């Protein structure tokens, strides 16, 4: 059983650019959630994907978008980057949405710096 | 408003001392409550959840609906307990999004 993986580990972008972050879910998991963790803060929910469809969204603007693929891996895309987008982006996978009994497994995160 | 509050950014204790990490929540309904932990250079991982009523690594947490609290407790802290602890809640719906607090760093000195 492999855990949640994310790529890249870190990257630096310039304000106004676009970025794509990737996540491979844990084997057997069909649900992926994305979180943004700013420095000194707890993770904030961006959105969740279940069977390739968005299944809930947090308070983030439309320039944050995502995809989930048939193998349940996922991408987070951010357009028109702003300085405040600098954060650690976490991906978490689980085997069933809406069931708190199903543990969410987190990846190591991608550190994004916007200059 | 849905919110999780962890009033302490840092909690420092000596080995063998009791530990209590505070967590209060605001949620209209019956949420599920969790504690997540992040050890140095490791990923965020689930420590315990209130529905399981379990003790993990000597830690327990009781949901107090009257006080809307879910404090994490351990009677005798160990050095290996030093980590970042996050309290989180999830609503009962079709998504299991987690709402996290800002976290408390626990330092256990020898």
């Amino acid at each position: 059983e492999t855990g949640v993986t994310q790529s890249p580990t870190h990257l630096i972008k310039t304000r106004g650019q676009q970025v794509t972050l990737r996540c491979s879910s844990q084997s057997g998991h069909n649900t992926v959630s994305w979180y943004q963790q700013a420095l000194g803060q707890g993770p904030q929910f961006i959105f969740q994907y279940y069977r390739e469809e968005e299944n809930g969204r947090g308070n983030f603007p439309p320039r944050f978008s995502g995809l989930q693929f048939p193998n349940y891996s996922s991408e987070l895309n951010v357009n028109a980057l702003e300085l405040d987008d600098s954060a650690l982006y976490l991906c978490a996978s689980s085997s069933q949405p809406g069931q708190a009994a199903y543990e969410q497994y987190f990846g190591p995160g991608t550190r994004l710096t916007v200059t | 408003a849905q919110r999780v509050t962890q009033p302490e950014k840092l909690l420092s204790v000596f080995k063998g001392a009791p530990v209590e990490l505070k967590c209060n929540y605001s949620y209209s309904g019956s949420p599920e409550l969790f504690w997540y932990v992040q050890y140095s250079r490791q990923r965020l991982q689930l420590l315990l959840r209130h529905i399981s009523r379990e003790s993990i690594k000597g830690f327990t947490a009781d949901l107090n609906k009257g006080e809307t609290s879910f404090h994490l407790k351990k009677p005798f802290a160990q050095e290996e307990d030093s980590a970042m602890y996050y309290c989180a809640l999830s609503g009962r719906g079709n998504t299991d999004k987690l709402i996290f607090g800002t976290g408390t760093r626990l330092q256990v000195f020898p």
Side-chain angles (χ1 to χ4, degrees):
Chain A
E1 184 178 279
T2 57
V4 178
T5 60
Q6 292 186 244
S7 62
T9 305
H10 59 271
L11 73 165
I12 300 173
K13 289 286 189 178
T14 303
R15 189 171 49 184
Q17 286 187 316
Q18 178 265 344
V19 70
T20 297
L21 310 182
R22 295 178 176 83
C23 170
S24 290
S25 59
Q26 183 158 311
S27 176
H29 287 180
N30 57 19
T31 304
V32 172
S33 302
W34 285 92
Y35 294 82
Q36 180 196 66
Q37 186 173 19
L39 199 60
Q41 301 296 316
Q44 273 197 288
F45 178 76
I46 302 175
F47 43 54
Q48 181 181 85
Y49 277 83
Y50 170 58
R51 293 184 176 177
E52 304 179 56
E53 297 285 333
E54 188 178 286
N55 182 49
R57 188 180 182 93
N59 189 26
F60 280 81
R63 59 189 185 85
F64 285 77
S65 62
L67 281 174
Q68 188 178 32
F69 301 98
N71 66 355
Y72 303 127
S73 65
S74 178
E75 285 183 355
L76 163 65
N77 298 290
V78 187
N79 293 322
L81 283 167
E82 300 177 0
L83 296 179
D84 285 348
D85 295 334
S86 296
L88 180 68
Y89 288 85
L90 297 170
C91 165
S93 75
S94 57
S95 58
Q96 187 78 20
Q99 299 288 329
Y102 290 90
E103 181 175 344
Q104 292 192 41
Y105 291 83
F106 282 83
T110 293
R111 172 76 60 191
L112 172 64
T113 301
V114 182
T115 61
Chain B
Q2 303 171 6
R3 186 182 298 121
V4 175
T5 303
Q6 294 180 250
E8 304 138 329
K9 284 191 179 298
L10 174 65
L11 183 62
S12 299
V13 300
F14 286 101
K15 176 183 172 182
V19 168
E20 182 178 51
L21 285 78
K22 291 185 173 14
C23 172
N24 288 88
Y25 67 90
S26 172
Y27 187 82
S28 54
S30 297
E32 305 285 354
L33 273 295
F34 306 84
W35 277 98
Y36 278 79
V37 61
Q38 188 167 28
Y39 300 102
S40 179
R41 288 185 289 278
Q42 294 187 28
R43 61 188 65 190
L44 197 61
Q45 59 186 282
L46 179 66
L47 179 62
L48 55 79
R49 49 197 158 199
H50 91 271
I51 56 173
S52 300
R53 295 183 172 275
E54 56 200 346
S55 173
I56 303 293
K57 299 184 178 181
F59 285 98
T60 58
D62 291 320
L63 179 62
N64 185 323
K65 293 184 179 180
E67 296 182 358
T68 59
S69 68
F70 188 57
H71 303 327
L72 183 67
K73 300 177 183 178
K74 185 169 183 176
F76 307 103
Q78 302 299 315
E79 289 179 68
E80 55 265 31
D81 296 329
S82 296
M84 196 73 185
Y85 290 81
Y86 294 95
C87 182
L89 72 79
S90 177
R92 297 174 189 262
N94 65 349
T95 180
D96 48 1
K97 75 172 187 179
L98 291 167
I99 299 170
F100 286 89
T102 51
T104 298
R105 179 166 298 282
L106 175 63
Q107 288 183 332
V108 182
F109 295 109

